[in-house]
Amino acid sequence: MKSLHSAHSASPALDDRIARLRRLAQAEPRLDGVLLYGSWTVGEADAHSDIEAYLYVQDEHVDTFDGTAFLEQLAPLALAYTNMYGVLAVVFDDLMRGEFHIAAAGPGIDEVPTWEGMVHLPYPGDAVLLDRTGRLTEAARHLSAFRPPEPIGTAQRLADELANWTLMLAHVLARGEVARSHALLHTVIAPQQLQLCRLLRGSTSHWLTPSRALEQDLPATDRARYTATTAAALEEDVRVAARTSWRWSRDLASEAAARWGIRLPRELHERIGELLDARH
């Protein structure tokens, strides 16, 4: 199993908390395994990083396992609740965040290899904090090699998504819903633009959160194109940003078409641009 060159990250507090989690897990007989993911597991943790883990509970105990009570042993909690994704989210008293998936060990560990291409654990030996049966260690090995997205199908999907969502943006803007347009532009369209841009630049290590480390991962020209798509939630600013955003989307899609031969509905693209340019 691969291991980190050093047991220490740029966050001693996070290192200490992970070491304590390992000890607590080993002392909890209802746990069959604990698997870390996130920045610590890829060597990118710093003082602002959180702790993210799967707690694999023996199947017969999963319905009665009190995750909050277990985590209170790790450090005092300022907040604990089940978030919108069904994950136990906590805030420790030192303002470090945590996300903990409580899962039945049987089906949960079987699912781990299916994350290949979405989750990367370059050092699975460090990501596995507890493994009573050997199953979790074997499952985590499937995630040790980085698997970039398949380019042609991914580029086609992203180009189609950008056309569809930008058309929605154009309609919402025409209706005069500035705040909703602002949200669409920044929370739906921009992440997909960044993914397509990353795909084209061969910089997909932060695929699931494409804005992460943007300043280091992408060239200045791409960063400038992204910045030009941002706006204050003011009508004219959003209209200008929307038009600028669509020009960048079309340029990215055209670049992908030239490289990978994806299909582009060029007439539709023109009509979306005309709708964005129209004054209402």
Side-chain angles (χ1 to χ4, degrees):
M1 293 283 284
K2 294 180 182 178
S3 180
L4 290 169
H5 297 300
S6 169
H8 303 287
S9 73
S11 174
L14 181 58
D15 294 341
D16 290 346
R17 193 143 299 164
I18 288 170
R20 180 165 176 77
L21 175 59
R22 187 192 300 272
R23 294 192 295 271
L24 286 171
Q26 291 170 344
E28 173 49 72
R30 293 171 295 176
L31 286 177
D32 268 358
V34 174
L35 180 68
L36 291 178
Y37 65 98
S39 60
W40 193 88
T41 62
V42 294
E44 295 182 351
D46 60 21
H48 306 288
S49 297
D50 49 22
I51 180 171
E52 302 159 300
Y54 276 79
L55 306 180
Y56 292 108
V57 183
Q58 293 173 355
D59 295 8
E60 63 271 24
H61 295 299
V62 69
D63 291 334
T64 57
F65 183 78
D66 188 337
T68 300
F70 174 74
L71 293 172
E72 284 175 334
Q73 302 174 75
L74 190 56
L77 299 179
L79 179 67
Y81 73 103
T82 300
N83 70 15
M84 66 183 79
Y85 304 109
V87 177
L88 177 58
V90 303
V91 176
F92 297 102
D93 66 343
D94 59 359
L95 299 186
M96 183 186 296
R97 297 177 58 256
E99 293 185 357
F100 296 88
H101 303 248
I102 312 296
I109 293 175
D110 285 344
E111 183 185 42
V112 171
T114 70
W115 301 345
E116 193 172 357
M118 296 182 291
V119 176
H120 182 212
L121 300 178
Y123 312 104
D126 291 303
V128 176
L129 299 187
L130 173 70
D131 183 11
R132 297 198 194 278
T133 66
R135 292 176 59 230
L136 185 55
T137 299
E138 181 59 32
R141 284 196 180 102
H142 290 267
L143 309 179
S144 62
F146 178 68
R147 297 282 189 266
E150 185 282 316
I152 299 175
T154 304
Q156 184 69 70
R157 178 184 61 79
L158 288 168
D160 291 344
E161 292 275 23
L162 288 169
N164 178 56
W165 287 108
T166 305
L167 177 58
M168 181 177 180
L169 170 65
H171 283 302
V172 171
L173 259 178
R175 188 185 290 141
E177 293 185 81
V178 176
R180 187 181 177 195
S181 299
H182 182 268
L184 273 171
L185 189 62
H186 295 92
T187 64
V188 178
I189 294 171
Q192 294 179 94
Q193 286 174 318
L194 290 176
Q195 284 189 328
L196 184 52
C197 186
R198 283 183 175 278
L199 193 67
L200 288 161
R201 304 295 172 258
S203 179
T204 58
S205 59
H206 296 114
W207 184 254
L208 294 182
T209 310
S211 59
R212 181 179 174 86
L214 178 72
E215 295 79 7
Q216 290 77 47
D217 288 355
L218 292 179
T221 51
D222 291 321
R223 299 198 307 269
R225 296 296 299 269
Y226 168 74
T227 300
T229 71
T230 63
L234 302 171
E235 181 173 1
E236 189 55 35
D237 289 4
V238 172
R239 290 188 182 279
V240 170
R243 292 192 291 269
T244 304
S245 171
W246 181 230
R247 284 194 293 272
W248 191 34
S249 291
R250 293 191 68 179
D251 288 346
L252 290 170
S254 293
E255 186 177 345
R259 184 178 305 180
W260 295 306
I262 67 170
R263 67 186 185 281
L264 299 180
R266 298 190 184 278
E267 182 180 351
L268 174 61
H269 284 191
E270 292 293 339
R271 294 177 68 187
I272 292 170
E274 291 168 2
L275 186 55
L276 285 168
D277 288 337
R279 304 302 301 183
H280 300 275

PDB file of all heavy atoms in Angstrom, residues 123-148:
ATOM      1  N   TYR A 123      -2.652   7.626  -1.620  1.00  0.00           N
ATOM      2  CA  TYR A 123      -1.983   6.904  -0.541  1.00  0.00           C
ATOM      3  C   TYR A 123      -3.043   6.157   0.269  1.00  0.00           C
ATOM      4  O   TYR A 123      -3.367   6.539   1.399  1.00  0.00           O
ATOM      5  CB  TYR A 123      -1.203   7.864   0.351  1.00  0.00           C
ATOM      6  CG  TYR A 123      -0.343   8.827  -0.430  1.00  0.00           C
ATOM      7  CD1 TYR A 123      -0.719  10.154  -0.594  1.00  0.00           C
ATOM      8  CD2 TYR A 123       0.830   8.383  -1.038  1.00  0.00           C
ATOM      9  CE1 TYR A 123       0.068  11.022  -1.331  1.00  0.00           C
ATOM     10  CE2 TYR A 123       1.626   9.251  -1.769  1.00  0.00           C
ATOM     11  CZ  TYR A 123       1.233  10.573  -1.919  1.00  0.00           C
ATOM     12  OH  TYR A 123       2.007  11.429  -2.652  1.00  0.00           O
ATOM     13  N   PRO A 124      -3.602   5.089  -0.276  1.00  0.00           N
ATOM     14  CA  PRO A 124      -4.712   4.411   0.409  1.00  0.00           C
ATOM     15  C   PRO A 124      -4.331   3.895   1.787  1.00  0.00           C
ATOM     16  O   PRO A 124      -5.190   3.795   2.676  1.00  0.00           O
ATOM     17  CB  PRO A 124      -5.086   3.269  -0.544  1.00  0.00           C
ATOM     18  CG  PRO A 124      -3.933   3.120  -1.467  1.00  0.00           C
ATOM     19  CD  PRO A 124      -3.292   4.457  -1.576  1.00  0.00           C
ATOM     20  N   GLY A 125      -3.062   3.575   2.004  1.00  0.00           N
ATOM     21  CA  GLY A 125      -2.645   3.100   3.315  1.00  0.00           C
ATOM     22  C   GLY A 125      -2.848   4.125   4.407  1.00  0.00           C
ATOM     23  O   GLY A 125      -3.063   3.762   5.571  1.00  0.00           O
ATOM     24  N   ASP A 126      -2.777   5.404   4.065  1.00  0.00           N
ATOM     25  CA  ASP A 126      -3.018   6.462   5.052  1.00  0.00           C
ATOM     26  C   ASP A 126      -4.490   6.821   5.141  1.00  0.00           C
ATOM     27  O   ASP A 126      -4.954   7.276   6.188  1.00  0.00           O
ATOM     28  CB  ASP A 126      -2.193   7.699   4.694  1.00  0.00           C
ATOM     29  CG  ASP A 126      -0.703   7.459   4.882  1.00  0.00           C
ATOM     30  OD1 ASP A 126      -0.300   7.104   6.001  1.00  0.00           O
ATOM     31  OD2 ASP A 126       0.042   7.592   3.907  1.00  0.00           O
ATOM     32  N   ALA A 127      -5.226   6.656   4.041  1.00  0.00           N
ATOM     33  CA  ALA A 127      -6.652   6.992   4.053  1.00  0.00           C
ATOM     34  C   ALA A 127      -7.452   6.008   4.891  1.00  0.00           C
ATOM     35  O   ALA A 127      -8.470   6.369   5.475  1.00  0.00           O
ATOM     36  CB  ALA A 127      -7.194   7.013   2.625  1.00  0.00           C
ATOM     37  N   VAL A 128      -7.018   4.763   4.955  1.00  0.00           N
ATOM     38  CA  VAL A 128      -7.713   3.750   5.759  1.00  0.00           C
ATOM     39  C   VAL A 128      -7.206   3.850   7.195  1.00  0.00           C
ATOM     40  O   VAL A 128      -6.078   3.476   7.501  1.00  0.00           O
ATOM     41  CB  VAL A 128      -7.470   2.333   5.197  1.00  0.00           C
ATOM     42  CG1 VAL A 128      -8.112   1.289   6.107  1.00  0.00           C
ATOM     43  CG2 VAL A 128      -8.034   2.217   3.781  1.00  0.00           C
ATOM     44  N   LEU A 129      -8.062   4.352   8.081  1.00  0.00           N
ATOM     45  CA  LEU A 129      -7.680   4.496   9.494  1.00  0.00           C
ATOM     46  C   LEU A 129      -7.982   3.244  10.301  1.00  0.00           C
ATOM     47  O   LEU A 129      -7.372   3.019  11.350  1.00  0.00           O
ATOM     48  CB  LEU A 129      -8.409   5.686  10.124  1.00  0.00           C
ATOM     49  CG  LEU A 129      -8.151   7.061   9.516  1.00  0.00           C
ATOM     50  CD1 LEU A 129      -8.814   8.143  10.369  1.00  0.00           C
ATOM     51  CD2 LEU A 129      -6.664   7.340   9.369  1.00  0.00           C
ATOM     52  N   LEU A 130      -8.943   2.460   9.830  1.00  0.00           N
ATOM     53  CA  LEU A 130      -9.330   1.236  10.540  1.00  0.00           C
ATOM     54  C   LEU A 130      -9.849   0.245   9.517  1.00  0.00           C
ATOM     55  O   LEU A 130     -10.617   0.611   8.625  1.00  0.00           O
ATOM     56  CB  LEU A 130     -10.427   1.533  11.576  1.00  0.00           C
ATOM     57  CG  LEU A 130     -11.048   0.316  12.271  1.00  0.00           C
ATOM     58  CD1 LEU A 130     -10.037  -0.326  13.231  1.00  0.00           C
ATOM     59  CD2 LEU A 130     -12.323   0.701  13.013  1.00  0.00           C
ATOM     60  N   ASP A 131      -9.425  -0.994   9.652  1.00  0.00           N
ATOM     61  CA  ASP A 131      -9.920  -2.057   8.768  1.00  0.00           C
ATOM     62  C   ASP A 131      -9.823  -3.376   9.520  1.00  0.00           C
ATOM     63  O   ASP A 131      -8.753  -3.983   9.585  1.00  0.00           O
ATOM     64  CB  ASP A 131      -9.107  -2.102   7.474  1.00  0.00           C
ATOM     65  CG  ASP A 131      -9.631  -3.130   6.496  1.00  0.00           C
ATOM     66  OD1 ASP A 131     -10.741  -3.658   6.722  1.00  0.00           O
ATOM     67  OD2 ASP A 131      -8.936  -3.415   5.502  1.00  0.00           O
ATOM     68  N   ARG A 132     -10.920  -3.815  10.065  1.00  0.00           N
ATOM     69  CA  ARG A 132     -10.892  -5.027  10.887  1.00  0.00           C
ATOM     70  C   ARG A 132     -10.914  -6.306  10.049  1.00  0.00           C
ATOM     71  O   ARG A 132     -10.536  -7.367  10.547  1.00  0.00           O
ATOM     72  CB  ARG A 132     -12.078  -5.038  11.856  1.00  0.00           C
ATOM     73  CG  ARG A 132     -12.050  -3.903  12.862  1.00  0.00           C
ATOM     74  CD  ARG A 132     -12.958  -4.174  14.047  1.00  0.00           C
ATOM     75  NE  ARG A 132     -13.187  -2.986  14.827  1.00  0.00           N
ATOM     76  CZ  ARG A 132     -12.340  -2.503  15.758  1.00  0.00           C
ATOM     77  NH1 ARG A 132     -11.204  -3.123  15.988  1.00  0.00           N
ATOM     78  NH2 ARG A 132     -12.651  -1.404  16.428  1.00  0.00           N
ATOM     79  N   THR A 133     -11.374  -6.228   8.823  1.00  0.00           N
ATOM     80  CA  THR A 133     -11.559  -7.443   8.022  1.00  0.00           C
ATOM     81  C   THR A 133     -10.634  -7.521   6.812  1.00  0.00           C
ATOM     82  O   THR A 133     -10.541  -8.576   6.184  1.00  0.00           O
ATOM     83  CB  THR A 133     -13.011  -7.532   7.517  1.00  0.00           C
ATOM     84  OG1 THR A 133     -13.258  -6.457   6.598  1.00  0.00           O
ATOM     85  CG2 THR A 133     -13.991  -7.439   8.683  1.00  0.00           C
ATOM     86  N   GLY A 134      -9.986  -6.437   6.433  1.00  0.00           N
ATOM     87  CA  GLY A 134      -9.168  -6.401   5.227  1.00  0.00           C
ATOM     88  C   GLY A 134      -9.934  -5.969   3.987  1.00  0.00           C
ATOM     89  O   GLY A 134      -9.327  -5.663   2.954  1.00  0.00           O
ATOM     90  N   ARG A 135     -11.267  -5.924   4.068  1.00  0.00           N
ATOM     91  CA  ARG A 135     -12.079  -5.570   2.904  1.00  0.00           C
ATOM     92  C   ARG A 135     -11.877  -4.118   2.491  1.00  0.00           C
ATOM     93  O   ARG A 135     -11.817  -3.795   1.297  1.00  0.00           O
ATOM     94  CB  ARG A 135     -13.564  -5.819   3.188  1.00  0.00           C
ATOM     95  CG  ARG A 135     -13.944  -7.277   3.343  1.00  0.00           C
ATOM     96  CD  ARG A 135     -15.410  -7.415   3.730  1.00  0.00           C
ATOM     97  NE  ARG A 135     -16.257  -6.796   2.722  1.00  0.00           N
ATOM     98  CZ  ARG A 135     -17.233  -5.918   3.004  1.00  0.00           C
ATOM     99  NH1 ARG A 135     -17.463  -5.528   4.247  1.00  0.00           N
ATOM    100  NH2 ARG A 135     -17.961  -5.423   2.022  1.00  0.00           N
ATOM    101  N   LEU A 136     -11.788  -3.219   3.463  1.00  0.00           N
ATOM    102  CA  LEU A 136     -11.687  -1.797   3.149  1.00  0.00           C
ATOM    103  C   LEU A 136     -10.342  -1.477   2.503  1.00  0.00           C
ATOM    104  O   LEU A 136     -10.267  -0.682   1.550  1.00  0.00           O
ATOM    105  CB  LEU A 136     -11.896  -0.962   4.413  1.00  0.00           C
ATOM    106  CG  LEU A 136     -11.932   0.559   4.221  1.00  0.00           C
ATOM    107  CD1 LEU A 136     -12.987   0.960   3.202  1.00  0.00           C
ATOM    108  CD2 LEU A 136     -12.187   1.260   5.556  1.00  0.00           C
ATOM    109  N   THR A 137      -9.289  -2.085   2.995  1.00  0.00           N
ATOM    110  CA  THR A 137      -7.969  -1.874   2.410  1.00  0.00           C
ATOM    111  C   THR A 137      -7.952  -2.303   0.947  1.00  0.00           C
ATOM    112  O   THR A 137      -7.430  -1.595   0.071  1.00  0.00           O
ATOM    113  CB  THR A 137      -6.912  -2.655   3.196  1.00  0.00           C
ATOM    114  OG1 THR A 137      -6.885  -2.173   4.549  1.00  0.00           O
ATOM    115  CG2 THR A 137      -5.532  -2.507   2.573  1.00  0.00           C
ATOM    116  N   GLU A 138      -8.536  -3.461   0.671  1.00  0.00           N
ATOM    117  CA  GLU A 138      -8.580  -3.949  -0.698  1.00  0.00           C
ATOM    118  C   GLU A 138      -9.429  -3.023  -1.567  1.00  0.00           C
ATOM    119  O   GLU A 138      -9.076  -2.728  -2.719  1.00  0.00           O
ATOM    120  CB  GLU A 138      -9.148  -5.371  -0.730  1.00  0.00           C
ATOM    121  CG  GLU A 138      -9.226  -5.992  -2.119  1.00  0.00           C
ATOM    122  CD  GLU A 138      -7.873  -6.079  -2.800  1.00  0.00           C
ATOM    123  OE1 GLU A 138      -6.846  -6.245  -2.099  1.00  0.00           O
ATOM    124  OE2 GLU A 138      -7.836  -5.966  -4.046  1.00  0.00           O
ATOM    125  N   ALA A 139     -10.563  -2.563  -1.033  1.00  0.00           N
ATOM    126  CA  ALA A 139     -11.439  -1.673  -1.794  1.00  0.00           C
ATOM    127  C   ALA A 139     -10.746  -0.350  -2.097  1.00  0.00           C
ATOM    128  O   ALA A 139     -10.864   0.193  -3.203  1.00  0.00           O
ATOM    129  CB  ALA A 139     -12.737  -1.437  -1.022  1.00  0.00           C
ATOM    130  N   ALA A 140     -10.012   0.201  -1.129  1.00  0.00           N
ATOM    131  CA  ALA A 140      -9.360   1.501  -1.308  1.00  0.00           C
ATOM    132  C   ALA A 140      -8.259   1.437  -2.351  1.00  0.00           C
ATOM    133  O   ALA A 140      -7.943   2.453  -2.990  1.00  0.00           O
ATOM    134  CB  ALA A 140      -8.794   1.989   0.024  1.00  0.00           C
ATOM    135  N   ARG A 141      -7.668   0.268  -2.569  1.00  0.00           N
ATOM    136  CA  ARG A 141      -6.619   0.137  -3.587  1.00  0.00           C
ATOM    137  C   ARG A 141      -7.128   0.496  -4.984  1.00  0.00           C
ATOM    138  O   ARG A 141      -6.368   0.947  -5.830  1.00  0.00           O
ATOM    139  CB  ARG A 141      -6.080  -1.292  -3.603  1.00  0.00           C
ATOM    140  CG  ARG A 141      -5.148  -1.636  -2.451  1.00  0.00           C
ATOM    141  CD  ARG A 141      -4.380  -2.906  -2.761  1.00  0.00           C
ATOM    142  NE  ARG A 141      -3.464  -3.255  -1.665  1.00  0.00           N
ATOM    143  CZ  ARG A 141      -3.704  -4.188  -0.763  1.00  0.00           C
ATOM    144  NH1 ARG A 141      -4.827  -4.887  -0.830  1.00  0.00           N
ATOM    145  NH2 ARG A 141      -2.831  -4.442   0.186  1.00  0.00           N
ATOM    146  N   HIS A 142      -8.422   0.315  -5.218  1.00  0.00           N
ATOM    147  CA  HIS A 142      -8.995   0.634  -6.523  1.00  0.00           C
ATOM    148  C   HIS A 142      -8.930   2.134  -6.818  1.00  0.00           C
ATOM    149  O   HIS A 142      -9.098   2.541  -7.973  1.00  0.00           O
ATOM    150  CB  HIS A 142     -10.448   0.165  -6.604  1.00  0.00           C
ATOM    151  CG  HIS A 142     -10.594  -1.323  -6.651  1.00  0.00           C
ATOM    152  ND1 HIS A 142     -10.683  -2.034  -7.825  1.00  0.00           N
ATOM    153  CD2 HIS A 142     -10.659  -2.244  -5.658  1.00  0.00           C
ATOM    154  CE1 HIS A 142     -10.804  -3.318  -7.562  1.00  0.00           C
ATOM    155  NE2 HIS A 142     -10.794  -3.477  -6.255  1.00  0.00           N
ATOM    156  N   LEU A 143      -8.740   2.951  -5.780  1.00  0.00           N
ATOM    157  CA  LEU A 143      -8.771   4.403  -5.941  1.00  0.00           C
ATOM    158  C   LEU A 143      -7.376   5.018  -5.929  1.00  0.00           C
ATOM    159  O   LEU A 143      -7.246   6.244  -5.929  1.00  0.00           O
ATOM    160  CB  LEU A 143      -9.617   5.029  -4.822  1.00  0.00           C
ATOM    161  CG  LEU A 143     -11.008   4.414  -4.615  1.00  0.00           C
ATOM    162  CD1 LEU A 143     -11.728   5.122  -3.465  1.00  0.00           C
ATOM    163  CD2 LEU A 143     -11.842   4.486  -5.883  1.00  0.00           C
ATOM    164  N   SER A 144      -6.341   4.182  -5.933  1.00  0.00           N
ATOM    165  CA  SER A 144      -4.985   4.720  -5.795  1.00  0.00           C
ATOM    166  C   SER A 144      -4.477   5.364  -7.083  1.00  0.00           C
ATOM    167  O   SER A 144      -3.659   6.284  -7.035  1.00  0.00           O
ATOM    168  CB  SER A 144      -4.027   3.611  -5.358  1.00  0.00           C
ATOM    169  OG  SER A 144      -3.968   2.585  -6.334  1.00  0.00           O
ATOM    170  N   ALA A 145      -4.954   4.887  -8.232  1.00  0.00           N
ATOM    171  CA  ALA A 145      -4.502   5.463  -9.507  1.00  0.00           C
ATOM    172  C   ALA A 145      -5.457   6.566  -9.937  1.00  0.00           C
ATOM    173  O   ALA A 145      -6.683   6.413  -9.847  1.00  0.00           O
ATOM    174  CB  ALA A 145      -4.430   4.380 -10.581  1.00  0.00           C
ATOM    175  N   PHE A 146      -4.900   7.673 -10.393  1.00  0.00           N
ATOM    176  CA  PHE A 146      -5.740   8.778 -10.859  1.00  0.00           C
ATOM    177  C   PHE A 146      -6.366   8.419 -12.194  1.00  0.00           C
ATOM    178  O   PHE A 146      -5.685   7.974 -13.117  1.00  0.00           O
ATOM    179  CB  PHE A 146      -4.906  10.051 -11.000  1.00  0.00           C
ATOM    180  CG  PHE A 146      -5.699  11.217 -11.514  1.00  0.00           C
ATOM    181  CD1 PHE A 146      -6.692  11.789 -10.736  1.00  0.00           C
ATOM    182  CD2 PHE A 146      -5.466  11.739 -12.781  1.00  0.00           C
ATOM    183  CE1 PHE A 146      -7.429  12.864 -11.204  1.00  0.00           C
ATOM    184  CE2 PHE A 146      -6.202  12.809 -13.255  1.00  0.00           C
ATOM    185  CZ  PHE A 146      -7.189  13.366 -12.466  1.00  0.00           C
ATOM    186  N   ARG A 147      -7.683   8.597 -12.316  1.00  0.00           N
ATOM    187  CA  ARG A 147      -8.407   8.298 -13.540  1.00  0.00           C
ATOM    188  C   ARG A 147      -9.043   9.580 -14.059  1.00  0.00           C
ATOM    189  O   ARG A 147     -10.080  10.011 -13.537  1.00  0.00           O
ATOM    190  CB  ARG A 147      -9.492   7.247 -13.278  1.00  0.00           C
ATOM    191  CG  ARG A 147      -8.984   5.890 -12.827  1.00  0.00           C
ATOM    192  CD  ARG A 147      -8.433   5.078 -13.989  1.00  0.00           C
ATOM    193  NE  ARG A 147      -8.137   3.706 -13.588  1.00  0.00           N
ATOM    194  CZ  ARG A 147      -6.950   3.285 -13.178  1.00  0.00           C
ATOM    195  NH1 ARG A 147      -5.953   4.156 -13.119  1.00  0.00           N
ATOM    196  NH2 ARG A 147      -6.748   2.042 -12.833  1.00  0.00           N
ATOM    197  N   PRO A 148      -8.440  10.227 -15.031  1.00  0.00           N
ATOM    198  CA  PRO A 148      -9.054  11.446 -15.582  1.00  0.00           C
ATOM    199  C   PRO A 148     -10.351  11.109 -16.298  1.00  0.00           C
ATOM    200  O   PRO A 148     -10.553   9.974 -16.752  1.00  0.00           O
ATOM    201  CB  PRO A 148      -8.000  11.966 -16.555  1.00  0.00           C
ATOM    202  CG  PRO A 148      -7.202  10.760 -16.933  1.00  0.00           C
ATOM    203  CD  PRO A 148      -7.191   9.870 -15.719  1.00  0.00           C
TER     204      PRO A 148
END
